[in-house]
Every structure is written in C-alpha cells, then in structure tokens.
C-alpha cells in the first residue's frame, strides 16, 4: 500500500491534466514537451499526471498502461483522480465500460468507441491504481486532483505508510452515515466532509433552482489562503461553452463560469490544468472537423509556468480575473 501523501521530486516538472483515455492527444503532448518514447527527457524533466487517466475516451487501457510504464521507469508520478477511485470502488458507469461490464447509464456516450481492456490489462491497471497516492508536495508545490484542503490532507498524512485509500474512503463514508444529524440534512455532507472525496472531487453546495443536478461544484481556489505554495490541480473541465439555454445553465453551474478567459490561473497561486479533453469523444461523435475541436489536453511546466497543449501551442496563462469565457 502507498503512503497517501508523498514527496514530489526536485527539479523541473511537467504536470499533465486529466487524459480520459485520449491516447493520441497524450502522445502528442509528450512529444511537444520533448519526452522520448521511454519517458526520459534530455533535460531530466519529470512528468506528473494529475489523475483521471481513464474513461470516456477511445483507449483508456493504453493510457493507463503507458503511464504505469512511465512510473515504473521512474520518469513519472501519478496521483489518483475520482475516476480511478470509482474503478477501485467497482462502480460501473457508461464511461468506464472499457473494464468489461455492460451495465451503466445509457446516453450518447454509448455510441463512442472504447477499446476494451483484456483480462491481463485489467489486472495490471487495477494493481497500478492501488499504488497511487492522493497528494504530492514539496516546499514549493502542492498537487491534488480536484481540491486542496489542508485539514483533509492532514487526515491522509496521519493515515500512515500502509493506508488503503478505498478503506479510508469507506470508513469516512460510514462515519458520516452514522452522524445522521449532518448526513440526513445536508446533500453535500459526503462530498465535503469525507476527506478523500473532498480532495478527489472538490467541495459542493446545494444547487440553485433550475440546475441540472442537485449539487454544484464550488470554486474553492477563491478562498485558498494560508499556504504560499503553488497548487496544481485538474478535474474542472475548462471547456469552451457555446450559446443557448443549455450552455447558459452550464455556465452558471461551472465553478470557472464567472471567469472570462480559459487559459488563466485559477487564483494567484492555483492553476487548474484540465482543458476539457474529457469531452473530445463528443466532438468526435458530432462529426465535426478535428481541426475545429475546442477541447485540449495540456501540460503545465514548472518552474517556467507555461502551458503546452496537444497542438504544440505554448501559452502563458493569464491572471485569474482577465479575458473572456471558459
Ligand atoms: Mn476528476
């Protein structure tokens, strides 16, 4: 079992946001960043994957196994995302049918091709996911999939070297279920108070009237005070939103919805490196010209603090309050 909070290596790092089974985009980003096929880099750079390697895209097994090999070769680290956690919890969803089950919620994603994992791939991938930490840090950086929360990180730190993330999550869920005063009255209690769910999924509040779901994500980074280190995270799917009523609802529900530009820091010291490739399956399915795809996979380079996307664009992220649209 891994320690749930681990040290980042010193030296230059490239953080890769949520990949969601998009093997082709991942290979392009790695090439643009200068990585060789074995994951080594001429300048000794290290890769850090921010979780959500799998689900929705065309080849989740290949992405998970590629990252596993990079970690084995000691060229990369990877933290858990909520999608890896769902796989470890045995949750069957339409988006993770690549694991070999057929149940799930039906919808357009049913039409998107997903390569199925073989039996031996499935075993390797599950074993790999069980080794992943939840948090990485050193003196200058803190890294988590969705939300930095000092108290939740402290709980994980105290879990010790033999902690099992699935048991930790279930123990906290059970404790919350017994605390009915909180659990019965607050639909967000599990997400907000289970330390692992908080770090992997981020805090939520009850939704406003007319929202598409009962709870919505909140921009925790706006109140992220007290830790001077730069925080790198993923999870929040910063896609360009179109026009019309559906996009308007989504803009109101999206924690970045109030921000005017997509390629920005989330706040002075926090940056979200998920630029929406979890939705590329939908762009592909719509039959539009790939040259017009709006979703991107991106890397955040440290200490340079530039972003590099899967088209090879190098982007200097703007300040949090600048510009236009997600
Ligand atoms: Mn996520």
């Amino acid at each position: 079992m891994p320690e749930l909070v681990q040290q980042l290596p010193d030296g230059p790092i490239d953080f890769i946001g949520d990949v969601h089974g998009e093997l082709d985009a991942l290979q392009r980003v790695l090439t643009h960043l200068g990585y060789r096929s074995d994951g080594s880099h001429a300048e000794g750079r290290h890769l850090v994957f921010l979780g959500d390697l799998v689900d929705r895209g065309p080849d989740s097994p290949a992405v998970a196994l590629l990252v596993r090999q990079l970690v084995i070769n000691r060229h990369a680290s990877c933290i858990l995302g909520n999608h890896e956690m769902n796989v470890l919890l045995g949750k069957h969803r339409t988006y993770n049918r690549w694991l070999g089950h057929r149940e799930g919620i039906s919808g357009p994603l049913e039409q998107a091709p997903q390569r199925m994992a073989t039996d031996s791939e499935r075993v390797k991938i599950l074993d790999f996911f069980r080794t992943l930490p939840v948090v990485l840090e050193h003196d200058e950086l803190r890294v988590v999939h969705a939300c930095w929360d000092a108290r939740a990180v402290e709980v994980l730190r105290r879990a010790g070297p033999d902690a099992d993330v699935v048991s930790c999550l279930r123990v906290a869920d059970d404790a919350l279920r017994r605390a009915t005063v909180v659990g019965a009255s607050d639909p967000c209690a599990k997400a907000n108070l289970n330390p692992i769910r908080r770090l992997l999924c981020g805090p939520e509040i009850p939704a406003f009237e007319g929202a598409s779901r009962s709870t919505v994500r909140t921009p925790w980074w706006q109140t992220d005070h007290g830790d001077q280190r730069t925080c790198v995270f993923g999870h929040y799917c910063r896609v360009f939103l179109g026009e019309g009523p559906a996009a308007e609802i989504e803009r109101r529900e999206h924690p970045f919805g109030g921000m005017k530009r997509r390629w920005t820091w989330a706040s002075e010291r926090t940056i979200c490196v998920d630029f929406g490739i979890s939705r590329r399956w939908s762009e592909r399915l719509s039959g539009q010209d790939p040259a017009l795809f709006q979703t991107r996979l991106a890397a955040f380079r440290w200490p340079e603090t530039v972003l590099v996307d899967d088209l090879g664009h190098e982007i200097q992220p703007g300040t949090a309050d600048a510009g236009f649209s997600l």
Side-chain angles (χ1 to χ4, degrees), residues 18 52 82 145 235:
D18 311 33
D52 282 7
N82 53 310
H145 177 64
H235 186 64

Side-chain angles (χ1 to χ4, degrees), residues 67-88:
V67 174
R68 172 182 172 274
Q69 195 57 50
L70 297 176
V71 171
I72 288 171
N73 294 354
R74 297 185 171 276
H75 296 306
S77 308
C78 181
I79 55 174
L80 268 177
N82 53 310
H83 282 256
E84 285 77 32
M85 176 56 76
N86 278 340
V87 167
L88 290 177

Side-chain angles (χ1 to χ4, degrees), residues 18 20 50-52 81-83 145-146 200-201 217 234-236 274:
D18 311 33
H20 283 296
L50 297 172
D52 282 7
N82 53 310
H83 282 256
H145 177 64
L200 293 183
C201 305
R217 298 165 169 183
H235 186 64
Y236 286 93
D274 176 359

Side-chain angles (χ1 to χ4, degrees), residues 220-235:
W220 59 268
W221 47 88
Q222 291 177 0
T223 51
D224 174 66
H225 308 304
D227 194 324
Q228 297 302 307
R229 298 175 297 171
T230 294
C231 181
V232 188
F233 62 104
H235 186 64

Side-chain angles (χ1 to χ4, degrees), residues 46-324:
H46 188 80
L47 286 160
V48 172
F49 288 86
L50 297 172
D52 282 7
L53 300 175
V54 294
D55 297 349
R56 298 204 175 103
D59 204 339
S60 291
V63 170
L65 291 170
L66 171 59
V67 174
R68 172 182 172 274
Q69 195 57 50
L70 297 176
V71 171
I72 288 171
N73 294 354
R74 297 185 171 276
H75 296 306
S77 308
C78 181
I79 55 174
L80 268 177
N82 53 310
H83 282 256
E84 285 77 32
M85 176 56 76
N86 278 340
V87 167
L88 290 177
L89 288 169
K91 302 240 184 216
H92 292 181
R93 299 279 193 267
T94 302
Y95 53 63
N96 68 18
R97 69 180 191 274
W98 58 272
L99 273 163
H101 55 80
R102 299 303 310 170
E103 317 95 290
I105 309 153
S106 59
L109 185 51
E110 286 284 359
Q111 310 303 318
Q114 290 185 13
R115 185 172 78 76
M116 304 297 278
T118 65
D119 289 346
S120 70
E121 284 177 333
R122 189 185 315 111
V123 171
K124 274 187 192 172
I125 290 167
L126 286 167
D127 284 347
F128 172 53
F129 287 176
R130 285 190 199 99
T131 69
L132 299 179
V134 177
V135 166
L136 294 169
E137 62 179 353
H138 64 28
D139 290 347
E140 292 178 77
L141 290 165
R142 47 199 166 115
V143 186
V144 68
H145 177 64
C147 166
W148 186 267
D149 182 281
R151 284 197 300 180
V153 172
E154 203 45 46
V155 171
L156 268 55
R157 240 190 265 287
R158 288 202 301 266
D162 296 319
D164 168 36
V165 73
V166 172
S167 326
C168 287
L169 179 134
R170 290 202 164 119
V171 164
D173 272 354
D174 288 346
L176 287 165
R177 207 170 292 125
R178 287 195 300 275
T180 49
V181 175
V182 176
S185 59
D186 181 357
C188 306
K190 242 168 60 164
N192 292 342
L193 300 178
N194 182 323
I196 291 175
R197 289 187 190 278
R198 189 168 181 102
L199 298 170
L200 293 183
C201 305
E204 296 177 352
I205 53 169
F208 45 84
E209 208 174 320
S212 65
R213 41 184 170 178
S214 61
T215 62
V216 291
R217 298 165 169 183
T218 66
W220 59 268
W221 47 88
Q222 291 177 0
T223 51
D224 174 66
H225 308 304
D227 194 324
Q228 297 302 307
R229 298 175 297 171
T230 294
C231 181
V232 188
F233 62 104
H235 186 64
Y236 286 93
C237 191
R238 304 170 72 178
V239 287
F240 281 106
L241 298 173
E243 300 299 321
E248 191 48 44
I249 288 176
E250 194 169 10
R251 194 170 284 119
R252 286 169 60 199
E253 291 178 12
H254 199 293
F256 278 99
M259 291 180 64
K260 294 180 176 172
R261 196 147 52 101
R262 188 192 200 191
W263 302 99
T264 60
W265 290 75
S267 68
E268 199 182 336
R269 278 184 297 276
T270 65
I271 188 156
C272 172
V273 195
D274 176 359
F275 294 96
I277 198 132
S278 63
R279 301 212 190 164
R280 186 162 287 188
W281 67 270
S282 161
E283 293 179 305
R284 209 178 277 121
L285 213 56
S286 75
Q288 64 178 285
D289 180 350
L292 302 177
F293 287 175
Q294 294 289 321
T295 63
R296 294 281 184 276
L297 179 67
F300 176 66
R301 312 201 88 172
W302 180 268
E304 297 85 351
T305 68
V306 295
L307 294 158
V308 175
D309 74 5
D310 56 302
L311 301 178
H313 298 140
E314 192 172 296
I315 303 142
Q316 190 79 51
T319 53
D321 54 356
F324 174 75

